[in-house]
Short mmCIF file of all heavy atoms in Angstrom, two decimals:
data_model
loop_
_atom_site.label_atom_id
_atom_site.label_comp_id
_atom_site.label_asym_id
_atom_site.label_seq_id
_atom_site.Cartn_x
_atom_site.Cartn_y
_atom_site.Cartn_z
N TYR A 1502 -4.07 -23.65 -46.79
CA TYR A 1502 -4.61 -23.78 -48.20
C TYR A 1502 -5.47 -25.05 -48.27
O TYR A 1502 -6.09 -25.29 -49.28
CB TYR A 1502 -3.46 -23.81 -49.25
CG TYR A 1502 -2.40 -24.73 -48.91
CD1 TYR A 1502 -2.16 -26.01 -49.10
CD2 TYR A 1502 -1.14 -24.12 -48.31
CE1 TYR A 1502 -1.20 -26.84 -48.77
CE2 TYR A 1502 -0.06 -24.80 -48.00
CZ TYR A 1502 -0.07 -26.24 -48.17
OH TYR A 1502 1.05 -26.98 -47.93
N VAL A 1633 5.17 -17.26 -52.33
CA VAL A 1633 4.94 -18.61 -51.95
C VAL A 1633 6.18 -19.41 -51.60
O VAL A 1633 6.28 -20.36 -50.74
CB VAL A 1633 4.12 -19.31 -52.95
CG1 VAL A 1633 2.68 -18.71 -53.08
CG2 VAL A 1633 4.75 -19.32 -54.38
N ALA A 1634 7.27 -19.00 -52.31
CA ALA A 1634 8.55 -19.73 -52.13
C ALA A 1634 9.08 -19.42 -50.63
O ALA A 1634 9.71 -20.28 -50.10
CB ALA A 1634 9.59 -19.28 -53.10
N HIS A 1636 7.41 -19.40 -48.08
CA HIS A 1636 6.70 -20.33 -47.16
C HIS A 1636 6.88 -21.79 -47.61
O HIS A 1636 6.08 -22.58 -47.12
CB HIS A 1636 5.22 -19.91 -47.17
CG HIS A 1636 5.01 -18.59 -46.64
ND1 HIS A 1636 3.91 -17.78 -46.99
CD2 HIS A 1636 5.63 -17.99 -45.62
CE1 HIS A 1636 3.93 -16.63 -46.26
NE2 HIS A 1636 4.96 -16.74 -45.47
N GLY A 1637 7.93 -22.06 -48.40
CA GLY A 1637 8.27 -23.51 -48.63
C GLY A 1637 7.66 -24.07 -49.89
O GLY A 1637 7.84 -25.28 -50.06
N TRP A 1638 6.98 -23.27 -50.74
CA TRP A 1638 6.43 -23.85 -52.02
C TRP A 1638 7.53 -23.99 -52.99
O TRP A 1638 8.60 -23.27 -52.93
CB TRP A 1638 5.32 -22.93 -52.55
CG TRP A 1638 3.99 -23.06 -51.77
CD1 TRP A 1638 3.84 -23.16 -50.41
CD2 TRP A 1638 2.70 -23.01 -52.37
NE1 TRP A 1638 2.56 -23.23 -50.14
CE2 TRP A 1638 1.78 -23.05 -51.24
CE3 TRP A 1638 2.26 -22.83 -53.65
CZ2 TRP A 1638 0.37 -22.98 -51.45
CZ3 TRP A 1638 0.83 -22.79 -53.81
CH2 TRP A 1638 -0.10 -22.91 -52.77
N PHE A 1639 7.35 -24.99 -53.89
CA PHE A 1639 8.39 -25.22 -54.90
C PHE A 1639 8.13 -24.65 -56.23
O PHE A 1639 6.93 -24.65 -56.70
CB PHE A 1639 8.60 -26.74 -55.07
CG PHE A 1639 8.86 -27.51 -53.72
CD1 PHE A 1639 7.89 -28.38 -53.31
CD2 PHE A 1639 10.02 -27.30 -53.13
CE1 PHE A 1639 8.18 -29.08 -52.10
CE2 PHE A 1639 10.30 -27.98 -51.92
CZ PHE A 1639 9.36 -28.84 -51.41
N ARG A 1640 9.09 -24.04 -56.88
CA ARG A 1640 8.98 -23.62 -58.28
C ARG A 1640 8.92 -24.83 -59.19
O ARG A 1640 9.66 -25.77 -59.00
CB ARG A 1640 10.15 -22.68 -58.55
CG ARG A 1640 10.27 -21.44 -57.84
CD ARG A 1640 9.23 -20.35 -58.23
NE ARG A 1640 9.65 -19.83 -59.66
CZ ARG A 1640 10.35 -18.79 -59.87
NH1 ARG A 1640 10.81 -18.04 -58.87
NH2 ARG A 1640 10.53 -18.42 -61.11
N ALA A 1648 4.16 -22.69 -59.25
CA ALA A 1648 4.64 -23.13 -58.01
C ALA A 1648 3.64 -24.09 -57.38
O ALA A 1648 2.38 -24.04 -57.64
CB ALA A 1648 4.99 -22.06 -57.07
N THR A 1649 4.02 -25.01 -56.53
CA THR A 1649 3.14 -25.88 -55.87
C THR A 1649 3.59 -26.05 -54.39
O THR A 1649 4.79 -25.86 -54.11
CB THR A 1649 3.08 -27.29 -56.57
OG1 THR A 1649 2.14 -28.20 -55.88
CG2 THR A 1649 4.48 -28.04 -56.50
N ASP A 1650 2.63 -26.53 -53.54
CA ASP A 1650 2.93 -26.57 -52.14
C ASP A 1650 3.68 -27.91 -51.87
O ASP A 1650 3.71 -28.77 -52.67
CB ASP A 1650 1.69 -26.57 -51.32
CG ASP A 1650 0.92 -27.82 -51.39
OD1 ASP A 1650 0.27 -28.14 -52.42
OD2 ASP A 1650 1.01 -28.65 -50.37
N PRO A 1651 4.32 -28.05 -50.61
CA PRO A 1651 5.07 -29.27 -50.39
C PRO A 1651 4.28 -30.59 -50.42
O PRO A 1651 4.94 -31.63 -50.59
CB PRO A 1651 5.57 -29.02 -48.94
CG PRO A 1651 5.53 -27.53 -48.85
CD PRO A 1651 4.37 -27.07 -49.57
N SER A 1655 -1.82 -28.09 -53.86
CA SER A 1655 -2.26 -26.72 -54.18
C SER A 1655 -1.24 -26.12 -55.12
O SER A 1655 -0.10 -26.30 -55.08
CB SER A 1655 -2.39 -25.89 -52.86
OG SER A 1655 -3.32 -26.51 -52.05
N ILE A 1657 -0.23 -22.60 -57.88
CA ILE A 1657 -0.52 -21.21 -58.42
C ILE A 1657 0.30 -21.09 -59.72
O ILE A 1657 1.45 -21.45 -59.74
CB ILE A 1657 -0.21 -20.17 -57.36
CG1 ILE A 1657 -0.61 -18.73 -57.84
CG2 ILE A 1657 1.28 -20.15 -56.97
CD1 ILE A 1657 -0.70 -17.73 -56.80
N LEU A 1720 -2.25 -17.19 -48.58
CA LEU A 1720 -2.71 -18.57 -48.73
C LEU A 1720 -1.60 -19.61 -48.31
O LEU A 1720 -1.97 -20.64 -47.68
CB LEU A 1720 -2.96 -18.84 -50.17
CG LEU A 1720 -3.41 -20.18 -50.70
CD1 LEU A 1720 -4.82 -20.49 -50.27
CD2 LEU A 1720 -3.30 -20.19 -52.25
N SER A 1721 -0.39 -19.23 -48.53
CA SER A 1721 0.70 -20.20 -48.24
C SER A 1721 1.30 -19.98 -46.79
O SER A 1721 2.20 -20.74 -46.46
CB SER A 1721 1.82 -19.99 -49.26
OG SER A 1721 2.30 -18.71 -49.27
#
Side-chain angles (χ1 to χ4, degrees):
Y1502 46 84
V1633 294
H1636 294 148
W1638 286 37
F1639 304 114
R1640 298 281 292 265
T1649 186
D1650 77 283
S1655 300
I1657 190 165
L1720 180 72
S1721 60

